[in-house]
């Protein structure tokens, strides 16, 4: 339930070839630590604008799926020219299902890309989409996040040893 289908260092490592080889026709994108550099900082990670262009050139439908308030999520989405579903309440599956409907793509042919096992990945598993965990993230400041990250690191180590 928590294990991602794929693990990448960053969003921009995901290639059109990887997606087509794995039957992925559309992506749901997390914002904090996935597209942006940190949780509270909306600066885009290096290479993200170019990566978005590459995905668009390859005709890949993209939509942002964020737990942020609708207005804040919309503001960010507009800045990168993407459609968005805010207040997604990940890990609940409803936002994923709405996003899949809006994209008009079957859920098994969609992948969620995010940095959090207990949010992005778990929700993706519940909704029946594929999941890509990105692991190159800025350490979080709050203790709530630190606890979450602690458990994420343990699981990550185990999965890496399995390979
Ligand atoms: Mg995130």
């Amino acid at each position: 339930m928590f294990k991602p289908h794929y693990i990448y260092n960053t969003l921009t490592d995901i290639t059109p070839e990887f997606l087509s080889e794995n039957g992925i026709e559309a992506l749901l994108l997390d914002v904090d630590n996935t597209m942006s550099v940190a949780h509270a900082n909306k600066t885009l990670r290096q290479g993200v604008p170019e990566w978005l262009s590459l995905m668009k050139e390859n005709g890949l439908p993209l939509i942002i799926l964020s737990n942020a308030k609708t207005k804040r999520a919309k503001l960010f989405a507009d800045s990168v020219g993407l459609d968005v579903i805010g207040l997604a309440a990940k890990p609940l599956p409803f936002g994923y299902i709405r996003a899949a409907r809006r994209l008009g793509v079957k859920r098994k042919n969609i992948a969620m890309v995010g940095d959090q096992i207990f949010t992005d990945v778990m929700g993706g598993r519940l909704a029946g989409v594929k999941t890509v965990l990105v692991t190159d993230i800025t350490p979080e400041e709050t203790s709530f996040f630190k606890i979450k990250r602690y458990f994420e690191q343990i699981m990550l180590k185990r999965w890496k040893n399995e390979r």
Side-chain angles (χ1 to χ4, degrees), residues 30-36 38-39 90 113-116 119-120 134 137 140 145 149:
D30 172 52
V31 174
D32 293 325
N33 268 319
T34 302
M35 297 182 73
S36 68
H39 191 69
K90 295 177 282 183
V113 187
D115 65 299
Q116 290 195 46
T119 309
D120 304 305
V134 290
I137 49 173
E140 305 286 351
F145 269 109
R149 291 297 181 204

Side-chain angles (χ1 to χ4, degrees), residues 8-21:
Y8 269 96
N9 194 28
T10 75
L11 174 68
T12 52
D13 290 337
I14 298 172
T15 62
E17 292 73 29
F18 158 77
L19 297 173
S20 66
E21 276 164 19

Side-chain angles (χ1 to χ4, degrees), residues 11 28-49 51-52 56 62-87 90 113:
L11 174 68
L28 314 179
L29 302 173
D30 172 52
V31 174
D32 293 325
N33 268 319
T34 302
M35 297 182 73
S36 68
V37 294
H39 191 69
N41 185 338
K42 291 293 160 285
T43 309
L44 289 181
R45 301 182 72 110
Q46 207 184 347
V48 168
W51 182 85
L52 288 173
K56 283 175 189 169
L62 306 171
I63 188 167
I64 292 173
L65 188 66
S66 172
N67 279 355
K69 286 193 183 123
T70 309
K71 200 176 157 193
R72 193 170 79 90
K74 179 90 173 74
L75 220 65
F76 179 83
D78 285 347
S79 75
V80 290
L82 291 179
D83 195 5
V84 62
I85 289 178
L87 276 183
K90 295 177 282 183
V113 187

Side-chain angles (χ1 to χ4, degrees), residues 119-137:
T119 309
D120 304 305
V121 172
M122 193 176 157
R125 286 280 186 184
L126 287 170
V129 303
K130 294 197 169 104
T131 51
V132 182
L133 183 74
V134 290
T135 55
D136 178 30
I137 49 173

